[in-house]
Amino acid sequence: MSASQDSSLVSGESGPWQAVPARPARRLVPLFVATVVVLPLWWSLLLAFFAAALFFAPFLDFLAIIPGLERAVERLGDKAGKKMENKDPLYPGWAVTWPELRHEGDADFYRARVDSHLDRRTKRASAPREKKKSGAPTECDVPLRKYRGVGGAYVIEAATARGWVPEPSNPADRIRLRWPAARP
């Protein structure tokens, strides 16, 4: 179901497109401490996987001699890509950053955060395309951590005002937007 077809956007009823209730501080503080401890390890692990992929990539060409191995490696890469497609690899879903800890429940903070995110993406998408360069990104994902205090309805409202078109989304995770003026 697309955001423009969701009746709760128009009627103002409570639902998945409304702001997420503020989390209590007694739950946020331990998550923040865990984030401070675990996030550097998480980023180191991501960097190690990237370095390992760069190191082993040249050797995979030599292994193409083995029948079926190339296809198996491609399937493995596709599966890994699909699992990470809807995830934010830099921040796990449970992570709580310092600004989130300080401004939990502050609608103005989240409104400014959404506006800043959409302004950056709009500037990039609407920039004139240079010759011999790839075009600007035509899709934009707004993760829940950006809009939890104002709700997905505000994201759709702010995005459509900037020219984005809502795509089918799960507001409990992220909202997908498409830039319609993009040329193929």
Side-chain angles (χ1 to χ4, degrees), residues 57-79:
F59 300 112
L60 290 177
D61 284 340
F62 294 117
L63 295 176
I65 299 169
I66 302 171
L69 183 65
E70 187 174 4
R71 191 175 313 159
V73 170
E74 285 178 6
R75 280 195 310 252
L76 181 67
D78 288 344
K79 283 183 183 179

Side-chain angles (χ1 to χ4, degrees), residues 1-10 16-17 156 166-172 174-176:
M1 173 183 340
S2 84
S4 59
Q5 296 170 346
D6 191 331
S7 63
S8 66
L9 282 174
V10 179
W17 292 94
I156 298 298
E167 291 284 310
S169 302
N170 177 10
R174 66 185 57 247
I175 295 180
R176 298 182 84 86

Side-chain angles (χ1 to χ4, degrees), residues 85-88 141-144 147 169-176:
E85 182 177 307
N86 294 326
K87 304 292 182 197
D88 184 1
D141 282 353
V142 184
L144 176 64
Y147 64 86
S169 302
N170 177 10
D173 182 38
R174 66 185 57 247
I175 295 180
R176 298 182 84 86

Side-chain angles (χ1 to χ4, degrees), residues 115-150:
D115 290 340
S116 171
H117 182 75
L118 290 175
D119 287 342
R120 274 194 320 270
R121 295 298 181 110
T122 302
K123 183 178 178 182
R124 230 183 291 165
S126 63
R129 188 172 162 184
E130 295 180 26
K131 292 182 180 180
K132 297 185 181 183
K133 289 204 175 182
S134 62
T138 60
E139 292 183 354
C140 173
D141 282 353
V142 184
L144 176 64
R145 71 182 323 105
K146 298 273 187 203
Y147 64 86
R148 72 177 301 118
V150 290

